[in-house]
Amino acid sequence: AVLAFENRSADKDNEYFSDGVAEEILNSLAKVKDLKVAGRTSSFFFKGKNESLSTIGKTLGVAHVLEGSVRKQGDKLRITAQLIRASDSSHLWSETYDRSLDDVFAIQDEISAAIGEALRVELKLGTGEEAEAPRVAESSNTAAYEAYLSGRHLVNQRGRSNIAQAVEELKRAVRLDPEFAP
């Protein structure tokens, strides 16, 4: 399960960004052959709740949980991710990524590939040579990507007003980068 990443930015309005990073990693990991990944709605249900990882693992029927945080300040980005065995809350893998905001896709690719490899080893899914490392969808325009994440976040919030705002954000993403398929 990929839990919603915690927004540790000074600007609490960046919540959409931390959610979007976690969601993109979830989508990327879902493409790993032989890896069962809990859906976004189920995993994000635990956002802001103080549940033990063993409870989350049992509830979602998963053996491993990925949790993390995102800090965004100006054009700097720090993403911390931890892969944890749900049954005993032991860390299997942890890494912190510091990058400039213009290479957020590279960070997501790097995190997804590292987690995918850690899970392949832990779950004996193969050597990793059979499968390509997971990759996220890329946009050459960071502002388009942020508009896309904001739109997705608003859609997931539900409600007429949020959906109307989401449509505007998604239209803005297309205007900024018409080649960005998502």
Side-chain angles (χ1 to χ4, degrees), residues 139-153:
S139 169
S140 59
N141 186 316
T142 303
Y145 180 66
E146 285 199 53
Y148 162 74
L149 290 181
S150 178
R152 292 277 306 261
H153 179 76

Side-chain angles (χ1 to χ4, degrees), residues 16-17 24 72 101-102 104-105 137-153 166-182:
Y16 75 92
F17 191 81
E24 290 295 319
K72 187 174 151 191
L101 191 56
D102 63 349
V104 68
F105 307 110
E138 289 190 35
S139 169
S140 59
N141 186 316
T142 303
Y145 180 66
E146 285 199 53
Y148 162 74
L149 290 181
S150 178
R152 292 277 306 261
H153 179 76
V167 168
E168 293 308 311
E169 285 295 298
L170 295 172
K171 284 180 179 178
R172 185 166 69 93
V174 171
R175 278 193 311 274
L176 290 168
D177 186 354
E179 300 299 315
F180 182 43

Side-chain angles (χ1 to χ4, degrees), residues 43-153:
S43 295
F44 278 40
F45 171 79
F46 293 97
K47 181 177 178 174
K49 296 188 168 119
N50 193 19
E51 294 285 343
S52 71
L53 293 178
S54 62
T55 299
I56 292 172
K58 285 177 190 170
T59 302
L60 297 177
V62 298
H64 301 89
V65 175
L66 178 76
E67 63 180 5
S69 64
V70 176
R71 285 180 230 167
K72 187 174 151 191
Q73 184 174 13
D75 67 345
K76 298 292 182 197
L77 186 64
R78 171 172 281 176
I79 297 175
T80 300
Q82 303 170 21
L83 181 63
I84 300 165
R85 184 180 301 113
S87 62
D88 63 3
S89 296
S90 62
H91 281 73
L92 301 174
W93 173 88
S94 181
E95 193 64 56
T96 298
Y97 301 86
D98 291 319
R99 302 289 191 283
S100 65
L101 191 56
D102 63 349
D103 67 356
V104 68
F105 307 110
I107 297 169
Q108 289 174 337
D109 285 346
E110 196 175 333
I111 293 170
S112 297
I115 295 163
E117 185 56 30
L119 284 170
R120 273 192 273 279
V121 169
E122 179 68 21
L123 302 178
K124 298 169 181 57
L125 296 175
T127 65
E129 294 171 5
E130 307 86 25
E132 183 179 326
R135 294 187 48 84
V136 300
E138 289 190 35
S139 169
S140 59
N141 186 316
T142 303
Y145 180 66
E146 285 199 53
Y148 162 74
L149 290 181
S150 178
R152 292 277 306 261
H153 179 76

